[in-house]
Every structure is written in structure tokens, then in C-alpha cells.
Amino acid sequence: MTLLCYVGAARSAFIAAMRSARSGDFTQAEAQIAEGDLALKDVHKSQTELIGYDEGAGKVQMTLILTHIQDHIMTTMLCREVTEEVIAIHKELKGMKS
């Protein structure tokens, strides 16, 4: 469940970054990306510990919750990439309006 909390925090930060960019606050958007990246670092650390514990030996039973968490991790990582693109687009649009 720790993974789910970390990944939820990361996703929320990335969504907030896109919203900040939409309002033109790119400094805040960058800070929110950094916040999300810190949460993703915690996700990666926890996930690596889990994989290390398993050692490829099947010690960790694959459950619906682990599948659900992995889905959230993957979509949050995609969200992070999309956030960078959305912010870049907002920067370009702001430059066109000036």
C-alpha cells in the first residue's frame, strides 16, 4: 500500500503541474514536477526492495492489488512524460499570445 500512496502523490503533483502551466505559472509547474519526481523516486525504491526480496523466486505472490499498483506506476510514469509535453505546449502558446 505504501507504493500506492507514493504513486498517488506523484500523479497528483504532475496533474497540478499541468494546471499550473495552464495558468501560466511555469515556476510552480517545475516545482510540482520536482515534487512528483521525488515521490516517483520513493516508488522506485519500494518497488526495487520488493523485487529484491522476491529474487525471481516467486516469494511475492502476484495479487490483484500488486497488479493494480503496477498499473498505477506505469500510468503515472506516462503522466510524467505527458506533463513535460503539456508544459512545453503551454509555454509555446504563451509566447504566441505575447
Side-chain angles (χ1 to χ4, degrees):
M1 293 309 287
T2 301
L3 279 167
L4 201 54
C5 292
Y6 289 146
V7 80
R11 183 182 179 279
S12 293
F14 298 139
I15 297 296
M18 287 188 275
R19 290 184 178 140
S20 292
R22 184 181 351 161
S23 68
D25 191 346
F26 299 111
T27 302
Q28 179 67 18
E30 293 302 324
Q32 289 162 325
I33 287 176
E35 178 185 332
D37 285 346
L38 282 176
L40 273 183
K41 191 174 184 178
D42 290 334
V43 167
H44 187 264
K45 181 181 176 196
S46 294
Q47 190 178 38
T48 300
E49 288 172 2
L50 186 63
I51 291 168
Y53 169 76
D54 185 72
E55 298 175 324
K59 294 178 194 174
V60 177
Q61 182 182 4
M62 196 59 194
T63 63
L64 183 57
I65 190 70
L66 282 177
T67 303
H68 179 68
I69 291 168
Q70 186 60 37
D71 181 50
H72 276 279
I73 292 169
M74 291 169 49
T75 57
T76 299
M77 292 174 74
L78 177 61
C79 182
R80 199 244 184 258
E81 293 175 26
V82 170
T83 298
E84 289 282 347
E85 294 300 318
V86 167
I87 290 172
I89 291 167
H90 281 297
K91 284 180 178 177
E92 285 183 31
L93 289 173
K94 186 169 175 78
M96 291 176 149
K97 291 180 183 177
S98 300

